[in-house]
Amino acid sequence: MSDIITATAHTNIALIKYWGKENVELNIPTTSSLSMTLDKFYTTTSVEFNSSLAQDTLILNEKEVDATRVHKFLNIFRSEVADFGPVLVISKNHVPTAAGLASSASSFAALTGAVSGLLDLNLLPTQMSRYARRGSGSASRSIFGNFVIWNKGEDDDSSYAESFLDADIEMSMIVAEVSTGAKKVSSTVGMQLAQSSPLYSKWQEDSAKQLENMKKALMSEDIEQVGLIAQDNALAMHELNRTSSQPFDYFTDETRALIEFVQNCYKEGLLAFVTIDAGPNVKIITNHATEQILLKKLKDNFPNLAFDLAHAGSGLVINA
Ligand code: PMV
Protein backbone atom coordinates (compact mmCIF):
# COMPACT_ATOMS: atom_id res chain seq x y z
CA MET A 1 0.00 0.00 0.00
CA SER A 2 1.57 3.31 -1.01
CA ASP A 3 1.12 6.48 1.03
CA ILE A 4 -0.79 8.53 -1.50
CA ILE A 5 -3.48 7.05 -3.73
CA THR A 6 -4.78 8.90 -6.77
CA ALA A 7 -7.91 8.14 -8.78
CA THR A 8 -9.54 9.70 -11.82
CA ALA A 9 -13.22 9.51 -12.74
CA HIS A 10 -15.16 11.15 -15.55
CA THR A 11 -18.48 12.87 -15.26
CA ASN A 12 -21.59 11.35 -16.83
CA ILE A 13 -24.77 12.67 -18.35
CA ALA A 14 -27.99 10.75 -17.81
CA LEU A 15 -30.03 9.83 -20.89
CA ILE A 16 -32.71 8.51 -18.55
CA LYS A 17 -32.62 10.72 -15.47
CA TYR A 18 -32.48 10.03 -11.78
CA TRP A 19 -34.87 12.59 -10.27
CA GLY A 20 -36.30 11.42 -6.99
CA LYS A 21 -35.20 9.55 -3.88
CA GLU A 22 -36.88 6.63 -2.19
CA ASN A 23 -34.40 7.05 0.66
CA VAL A 24 -32.80 10.47 1.08
CA GLU A 25 -30.05 9.40 3.49
CA LEU A 26 -28.89 6.48 1.32
CA ASN A 27 -29.62 8.02 -2.10
CA ILE A 28 -31.83 5.12 -3.14
CA PRO A 29 -33.62 6.38 -6.26
CA THR A 30 -37.27 6.08 -7.24
CA THR A 31 -36.34 5.03 -10.78
CA SER A 32 -33.45 3.34 -12.56
CA SER A 33 -31.32 5.60 -14.75
CA LEU A 34 -28.94 5.25 -17.68
CA SER A 35 -26.03 7.49 -18.62
CA MET A 36 -23.12 8.12 -20.94
CA THR A 37 -19.75 8.75 -19.31
CA LEU A 38 -17.98 11.69 -20.98
CA ASP A 39 -14.31 11.78 -21.97
CA LYS A 40 -13.94 15.54 -21.65
CA PHE A 41 -14.76 16.32 -18.01
CA TYR A 42 -13.14 14.57 -15.08
CA THR A 43 -11.90 14.82 -11.52
CA THR A 44 -8.55 13.61 -10.23
CA THR A 45 -8.35 13.05 -6.48
CA SER A 46 -5.47 12.06 -4.20
CA VAL A 47 -5.89 10.91 -0.63
CA GLU A 48 -3.47 10.26 2.20
CA PHE A 49 -3.63 9.75 5.93
CA ASN A 50 -2.28 12.81 7.68
CA SER A 51 -2.00 12.66 11.45
CA SER A 52 -0.91 16.29 11.69
CA LEU A 53 -4.41 17.38 10.60
CA ALA A 54 -7.13 17.98 13.19
CA GLN A 55 -9.83 16.78 10.79
CA ASP A 56 -10.50 15.61 7.23
CA THR A 57 -9.36 18.36 4.89
CA LEU A 58 -10.30 19.07 1.29
CA ILE A 59 -8.15 21.03 -1.13
CA LEU A 60 -10.15 21.63 -4.30
CA ASN A 61 -8.47 23.25 -7.29
CA GLU A 62 -5.62 24.36 -5.01
CA LYS A 63 -7.83 26.03 -2.38
CA GLU A 64 -8.95 24.68 0.98
CA VAL A 65 -12.75 24.41 0.94
CA ASP A 66 -15.50 23.15 3.26
CA ALA A 67 -14.97 19.42 3.82
CA THR A 68 -18.34 18.60 5.44
CA ARG A 69 -19.60 16.39 2.60
CA VAL A 70 -16.25 14.64 2.25
CA HIS A 71 -16.08 14.06 6.00
CA LYS A 72 -19.59 12.59 6.01
CA PHE A 73 -18.60 10.33 3.12
CA LEU A 74 -15.38 9.16 4.82
CA ASN A 75 -17.40 8.39 7.94
CA ILE A 76 -19.29 5.73 5.98
CA PHE A 77 -15.98 3.87 5.55
CA ARG A 78 -15.06 4.55 9.19
CA SER A 79 -18.26 2.91 10.37
CA GLU A 80 -18.47 0.10 7.77
CA VAL A 81 -14.80 -0.83 7.37
CA ALA A 82 -12.46 0.40 10.11
CA ASP A 83 -11.87 3.59 12.02
CA PHE A 84 -9.02 5.78 10.76
CA GLY A 85 -7.58 9.22 11.40
CA PRO A 86 -7.83 12.46 9.39
CA VAL A 87 -7.49 12.22 5.62
CA LEU A 88 -6.09 14.89 3.34
CA VAL A 89 -8.07 14.97 0.08
CA ILE A 90 -6.57 16.89 -2.82
CA SER A 91 -8.90 17.18 -5.77
CA LYS A 92 -8.79 18.83 -9.16
CA ASN A 93 -11.91 19.26 -11.25
CA HIS A 94 -11.45 19.39 -14.99
CA VAL A 95 -14.91 20.76 -15.74
CA PRO A 96 -15.84 24.15 -17.20
CA THR A 97 -15.87 26.35 -14.12
CA ALA A 98 -17.64 29.39 -15.59
CA ALA A 99 -20.90 27.53 -16.13
CA GLY A 100 -20.70 25.58 -12.88
CA LEU A 101 -21.22 22.25 -14.55
CA ALA A 102 -22.08 19.64 -11.94
CA SER A 103 -18.98 17.79 -10.81
CA SER A 104 -20.38 15.75 -7.93
CA ALA A 105 -20.56 12.60 -10.08
CA SER A 106 -16.90 12.57 -11.06
CA SER A 107 -15.83 13.89 -7.63
CA PHE A 108 -17.45 11.19 -5.54
CA ALA A 109 -16.52 8.44 -8.00
CA ALA A 110 -12.85 9.53 -7.89
CA LEU A 111 -12.95 9.86 -4.10
CA THR A 112 -14.44 6.37 -3.78
CA GLY A 113 -11.67 4.93 -5.92
CA ALA A 114 -8.94 6.76 -4.02
CA VAL A 115 -10.30 5.84 -0.58
CA SER A 116 -10.82 2.18 -1.48
CA GLY A 117 -7.18 2.15 -2.63
CA LEU A 118 -6.01 3.88 0.53
CA LEU A 119 -7.83 1.33 2.69
CA ASP A 120 -6.72 -1.59 0.47
CA LEU A 121 -10.32 -2.72 0.06
CA ASN A 122 -10.02 -4.54 -3.29
CA LEU A 123 -13.63 -3.74 -4.11
CA LEU A 124 -15.46 -4.90 -7.21
CA PRO A 125 -16.57 -2.00 -9.43
CA THR A 126 -20.19 -2.59 -8.43
CA GLN A 127 -19.20 -2.35 -4.75
CA MET A 128 -17.41 0.92 -5.47
CA SER A 129 -20.53 2.12 -7.25
CA ARG A 130 -22.54 1.44 -4.13
CA TYR A 131 -20.19 3.61 -2.04
CA ALA A 132 -20.05 6.36 -4.68
CA ARG A 133 -23.88 6.46 -4.64
CA ARG A 134 -23.78 7.43 -0.98
CA GLY A 135 -21.72 10.53 -1.87
CA SER A 136 -23.92 11.57 -4.78
CA GLY A 137 -26.45 9.38 -6.60
CA SER A 138 -25.13 10.10 -10.08
CA ALA A 139 -21.57 9.24 -8.94
CA SER A 140 -22.62 5.58 -8.81
CA ARG A 141 -22.58 5.64 -12.63
CA SER A 142 -19.19 7.36 -13.04
CA ILE A 143 -17.36 4.22 -11.86
CA PHE A 144 -17.97 2.79 -15.35
CA GLY A 145 -17.19 3.98 -18.88
CA ASN A 146 -19.40 4.40 -21.94
CA PHE A 147 -23.07 3.51 -21.26
CA VAL A 148 -24.02 2.71 -17.71
CA ILE A 149 -27.21 1.63 -15.98
CA TRP A 150 -28.01 2.28 -12.34
CA ASN A 151 -30.61 -0.29 -11.33
CA LYS A 152 -32.55 1.40 -8.60
CA GLY A 153 -32.57 -1.59 -6.28
CA GLU A 154 -34.43 -1.38 -3.01
CA ASP A 155 -31.84 -1.00 -0.29
CA ASP A 156 -28.24 -0.04 0.34
CA ASP A 157 -26.90 -3.38 -0.92
CA SER A 158 -28.93 -3.68 -4.10
CA SER A 159 -28.75 -0.11 -5.45
CA TYR A 160 -25.66 0.29 -7.64
CA ALA A 161 -24.68 0.89 -11.25
CA GLU A 162 -23.07 -1.44 -13.75
CA SER A 163 -21.86 -1.30 -17.31
CA PHE A 164 -24.69 -1.51 -19.84
CA LEU A 165 -22.77 -1.15 -23.10
CA ASP A 166 -19.02 -0.77 -22.98
CA ALA A 167 -18.64 0.48 -26.54
CA ASP A 168 -18.39 3.83 -28.30
CA ILE A 169 -21.37 4.04 -30.67
CA GLU A 170 -20.17 7.28 -32.28
CA MET A 171 -22.44 9.39 -30.15
CA SER A 172 -21.38 12.96 -29.40
CA MET A 173 -22.46 15.48 -26.80
CA ILE A 174 -22.05 19.20 -27.22
CA VAL A 175 -22.24 21.00 -23.90
CA ALA A 176 -23.52 24.57 -24.13
CA GLU A 177 -22.32 26.57 -21.15
CA VAL A 178 -25.22 28.83 -20.27
CA SER A 179 -24.20 31.37 -17.69
CA THR A 180 -26.59 31.63 -14.81
CA GLY A 181 -27.84 34.43 -12.68
CA ALA A 182 -30.66 32.20 -11.51
CA LYS A 183 -30.78 30.92 -7.95
CA LYS A 184 -29.56 27.36 -7.79
CA VAL A 185 -31.82 24.69 -6.32
CA SER A 186 -29.67 21.75 -5.18
CA SER A 187 -30.49 18.41 -6.75
CA THR A 188 -31.60 17.01 -3.37
CA VAL A 189 -34.06 19.86 -2.79
CA GLY A 190 -35.12 19.83 -6.46
CA MET A 191 -35.92 16.12 -6.31
CA GLN A 192 -37.86 16.46 -3.06
CA LEU A 193 -40.01 19.18 -4.60
CA ALA A 194 -40.44 17.32 -7.92
CA GLN A 195 -41.83 14.34 -6.02
CA SER A 196 -44.72 16.55 -4.89
CA SER A 197 -45.83 17.10 -8.50
CA PRO A 198 -49.14 15.47 -9.51
CA LEU A 199 -47.27 14.31 -12.62
CA TYR A 200 -44.67 12.39 -10.61
CA SER A 201 -46.14 8.86 -10.66
CA LYS A 202 -46.83 9.14 -14.39
CA TRP A 203 -43.21 10.26 -14.89
CA GLN A 204 -41.99 7.19 -13.00
CA GLU A 205 -44.12 4.90 -15.18
CA ASP A 206 -42.97 6.60 -18.37
CA SER A 207 -39.36 6.44 -17.20
CA ALA A 208 -39.54 2.64 -16.85
CA LYS A 209 -40.83 2.33 -20.42
CA GLN A 210 -38.31 4.84 -21.75
CA LEU A 211 -35.51 2.90 -20.08
CA GLU A 212 -36.46 -0.29 -21.93
CA ASN A 213 -36.70 1.60 -25.23
CA MET A 214 -33.39 3.32 -24.53
CA LYS A 215 -31.67 -0.03 -23.98
CA LYS A 216 -32.95 -1.25 -27.35
CA ALA A 217 -31.91 1.98 -29.10
CA LEU A 218 -28.38 1.77 -27.66
CA MET A 219 -27.99 -1.90 -28.56
CA SER A 220 -28.99 -1.15 -32.13
CA GLU A 221 -26.79 2.00 -32.16
CA ASP A 222 -29.80 4.07 -33.19
CA ILE A 223 -28.70 7.54 -32.08
CA GLU A 224 -31.87 9.19 -33.38
CA GLN A 225 -33.97 7.03 -31.04
CA VAL A 226 -31.50 7.55 -28.20
CA GLY A 227 -31.82 11.30 -28.66
CA LEU A 228 -35.60 11.34 -28.97
CA ILE A 229 -36.11 9.24 -25.84
CA ALA A 230 -33.50 11.16 -23.80
CA GLN A 231 -35.06 14.48 -24.81
CA ASP A 232 -38.59 13.37 -23.84
CA ASN A 233 -37.33 12.04 -20.52
CA ALA A 234 -35.40 15.21 -19.65
CA LEU A 235 -38.10 17.69 -20.68
CA ALA A 236 -40.66 15.77 -18.61
CA MET A 237 -38.30 15.88 -15.63
CA HIS A 238 -38.24 19.67 -15.82
CA GLU A 239 -42.03 19.77 -16.11
CA LEU A 240 -42.15 18.06 -12.68
CA ASN A 241 -40.26 21.02 -11.22
CA ARG A 242 -42.68 23.52 -12.72
CA THR A 243 -45.68 21.62 -11.37
CA SER A 244 -44.33 20.91 -7.88
CA SER A 245 -45.84 22.30 -4.66
CA GLN A 246 -43.25 25.11 -4.84
CA PRO A 247 -42.72 25.52 -8.58
CA PHE A 248 -39.19 26.25 -9.77
CA ASP A 249 -37.36 26.16 -13.07
CA TYR A 250 -33.70 25.58 -13.95
CA PHE A 251 -34.21 27.00 -17.45
CA THR A 252 -33.17 30.50 -18.42
CA ASP A 253 -34.21 32.35 -21.59
CA GLU A 254 -30.98 31.12 -23.14
CA THR A 255 -31.82 27.51 -22.20
CA ARG A 256 -35.18 27.87 -23.92
CA ALA A 257 -33.65 29.51 -26.99
CA LEU A 258 -31.13 26.68 -27.31
CA ILE A 259 -33.84 24.02 -27.02
CA GLU A 260 -35.87 25.68 -29.75
CA PHE A 261 -32.80 26.05 -31.96
CA VAL A 262 -31.78 22.40 -31.56
CA GLN A 263 -35.33 21.20 -32.22
CA ASN A 264 -35.41 23.29 -35.41
CA CYS A 265 -32.10 21.76 -36.49
CA TYR A 266 -33.73 18.32 -36.11
CA LYS A 267 -36.74 19.45 -38.18
CA GLU A 268 -34.27 20.53 -40.88
CA GLY A 269 -32.82 17.04 -40.94
CA LEU A 270 -29.85 17.22 -38.57
CA LEU A 271 -29.37 14.70 -35.81
CA ALA A 272 -29.81 16.99 -32.78
CA PHE A 273 -31.55 16.54 -29.40
CA VAL A 274 -31.29 18.12 -25.97
CA THR A 275 -30.93 16.91 -22.43
CA ILE A 276 -30.73 19.17 -19.37
CA ASP A 277 -29.84 18.49 -15.73
CA ALA A 278 -30.20 20.51 -12.52
CA GLY A 279 -29.10 23.79 -14.06
CA PRO A 280 -29.46 25.91 -17.20
CA ASN A 281 -26.77 24.19 -19.31
CA VAL A 282 -27.93 22.35 -22.40
CA LYS A 283 -26.29 19.12 -23.56
CA ILE A 284 -26.88 18.44 -27.21
CA ILE A 285 -26.93 14.85 -28.40
CA THR A 286 -25.68 14.15 -31.92
CA ASN A 287 -23.23 11.80 -33.66
CA HIS A 288 -19.62 12.02 -34.82
CA ALA A 289 -20.61 12.65 -38.43
CA THR A 290 -22.85 15.64 -37.56
CA GLU A 291 -20.97 17.20 -34.63
CA GLN A 292 -18.88 19.75 -36.57
CA ILE A 293 -21.80 21.03 -38.68
CA LEU A 294 -23.94 21.39 -35.58
CA LEU A 295 -21.17 22.99 -33.55
CA LYS A 296 -20.64 25.63 -36.23
CA LYS A 297 -24.36 26.42 -36.41
CA LEU A 298 -24.51 26.73 -32.63
CA LYS A 299 -21.46 28.99 -32.46
CA ASP A 300 -22.81 31.19 -35.28
CA ASN A 301 -26.20 31.56 -33.59
CA PHE A 302 -25.03 31.83 -29.97
CA PRO A 303 -21.75 33.77 -30.28
CA ASN A 304 -21.68 34.59 -26.55
CA LEU A 305 -21.80 31.00 -25.37
CA ALA A 306 -18.96 28.53 -24.93
CA PHE A 307 -19.42 25.03 -26.31
CA ASP A 308 -17.50 21.87 -25.43
CA LEU A 309 -17.50 18.75 -27.52
CA ALA A 310 -17.48 15.44 -25.64
CA HIS A 311 -17.58 11.77 -26.55
CA ALA A 312 -17.95 8.55 -24.61
CA GLY A 313 -15.30 8.26 -21.92
CA SER A 314 -13.70 5.68 -19.69
CA GLY A 315 -14.50 4.53 -16.19
CA LEU A 316 -12.65 4.96 -12.90
CA VAL A 317 -8.87 4.51 -12.88
CA ILE A 318 -6.96 4.05 -9.63
CA ASN A 319 -3.21 4.34 -9.79
CA ALA A 320 -1.46 3.52 -6.58
O1 PMV B 1 -26.31 12.94 -8.14
P1 PMV B 1 -27.07 14.18 -7.94
O2 PMV B 1 -27.65 14.28 -6.59
O3 PMV B 1 -26.25 15.40 -8.29
O4 PMV B 1 -28.32 14.17 -8.94
C1 PMV B 1 -28.19 14.19 -10.33
C2 PMV B 1 -29.46 14.53 -10.97
C3 PMV B 1 -29.42 14.76 -12.48
O5 PMV B 1 -28.14 15.14 -12.91
C4 PMV B 1 -30.38 15.89 -12.83
C5 PMV B 1 -29.90 13.54 -13.24
C6 PMV B 1 -28.94 12.37 -13.30
O6 PMV B 1 -29.43 11.25 -13.38
O7 PMV B 1 -27.72 12.59 -13.32
Side-chain angles (χ1 to χ4, degrees):
M1 189 169 81
S2 59
D3 296 337
I4 301 179
I5 306 284
T6 300
T8 295
H10 290 76
T11 194
N12 71 78
I13 300 298
L15 303 170
I16 300 292
K17 306 292 185 193
Y18 148 53
W19 198 241
K21 303 186 196 213
E22 206 82 74
N23 181 314
V24 177
E25 178 61 27
L26 298 173
N27 288 339
I28 311 284
T30 56
T31 59
S32 297
S33 56
L34 196 152
S35 60
M36 173 166 135
T37 302
L38 300 188
D39 59 348
K40 178 104 183 185
F41 312 121
Y42 60 96
T43 300
T44 297
T45 296
S46 300
V47 293
E48 61 180 300
F49 294 122
N50 190 323
S51 52
S52 63
L53 294 172
Q55 59 206 6
D56 295 329
T57 300
L58 171 62
I59 312 283
L60 178 62
N61 296 340
E62 276 143 36
K63 260 200 250 150
E64 184 171 349
V65 295
D66 178 30
T68 309
R69 248 181 114 179
V70 162
H71 176 63
K72 214 178 141 208
F73 183 70
L74 291 172
N75 281 348
I76 299 168
F77 291 88
R78 288 188 175 101
S79 74
E80 283 193 12
V81 182
D83 200 13
F84 51 84
V87 176
L88 175 62
V89 179
I90 300 176
S91 200
K92 200 156 172 30
N93 270 340
H94 300 264
V95 291
T97 46
L101 232 92
S103 57
S104 63
S106 53
S107 299
F108 279 103
L111 183 60
T112 301
V115 172
S116 62
L118 187 70
L119 301 176
D120 248 342
L121 297 181
N122 284 315
L123 297 176
L124 293 170
T126 47
Q127 292 172 310
M128 282 197 260
S129 171
R130 177 184 160 269
Y131 278 112
R133 184 200 82 232
R134 298 284 301 272
S136 175
S138 55
S140 65
R141 300 185 306 242
S142 273
I143 301 295
F144 303 92
N146 290 305
F147 297 93
V148 183
I149 187 162
W150 172 15
N151 294 304
K152 71 184 181 85
E154 52 207 28
D155 55 23
D156 193 28
D157 286 337
S158 58
S159 187
Y160 54 80
E162 59 193 351
S163 172
F164 172 71
L165 176 64
D166 201 12
D168 183 351
I169 61 163
E170 307 231 324
M171 195 160 127
S172 311
M173 248 189 223
I174 300 172
V175 179
E177 297 180 36
V178 177
S179 56
T180 169
K183 193 164 162 251
K184 202 172 168 278
V185 178
S186 75
S187 54
T188 299
V189 172
M191 287 180 204
Q192 246 157 13
L193 289 173
Q195 285 176 258
S196 72
S197 163
L199 306 178
Y200 196 77
S201 57
K202 170 83 165 62
W203 182 79
Q204 271 182 282
E205 281 164 32
D206 289 349
S207 169
K209 289 181 208 142
Q210 287 165 332
L211 179 67
E212 292 314 308
N213 292 335
M214 178 63 77
K215 287 182 187 171
K216 285 185 205 134
L218 286 169
M219 292 309 285
S220 52
E221 305 192 9
D222 184 343
I223 294 174
E224 182 174 14
Q225 275 307 312
V226 169
L228 284 168
I229 300 165
Q231 181 169 275
D232 279 354
N233 179 268
L235 295 179
M237 166 195 140
H238 288 274
E239 203 48 39
L240 298 174
N241 304 341
R242 293 182 203 106
T243 51
S244 75
S245 58
Q246 290 170 54
F248 66 102
D249 201 338
Y250 290 115
F251 292 8
T252 64
D253 288 347
E254 221 144 34
T255 309
R256 282 181 278 271
L258 274 160
I259 296 171
E260 198 185 332
F261 182 80
V262 170
Q263 291 184 332
N264 281 334
C265 287
Y266 178 61
K267 281 184 202 142
E268 287 163 17
L270 280 182
L271 209 57
F273 312 91
V274 297
T275 182
I276 302 141
D277 295 299
N281 300 306
V282 179
K283 288 99 185 179
I284 298 139
I285 297 168
T286 185
N287 65 1
H288 290 195
T290 315
E291 65 188 28
Q292 289 304 332
I293 306 166
L294 194 58
L295 196 53
K296 182 168 184 325
K297 275 172 87 77
L298 285 160
K299 284 181 175 166
D300 288 349
N301 283 275
F302 297 89
N304 300 327
L305 295 187
F307 295 94
D308 298 282
L309 180 59
H311 299 120
S314 51
L316 174 73
V317 175
I318 308 170
N319 28 36

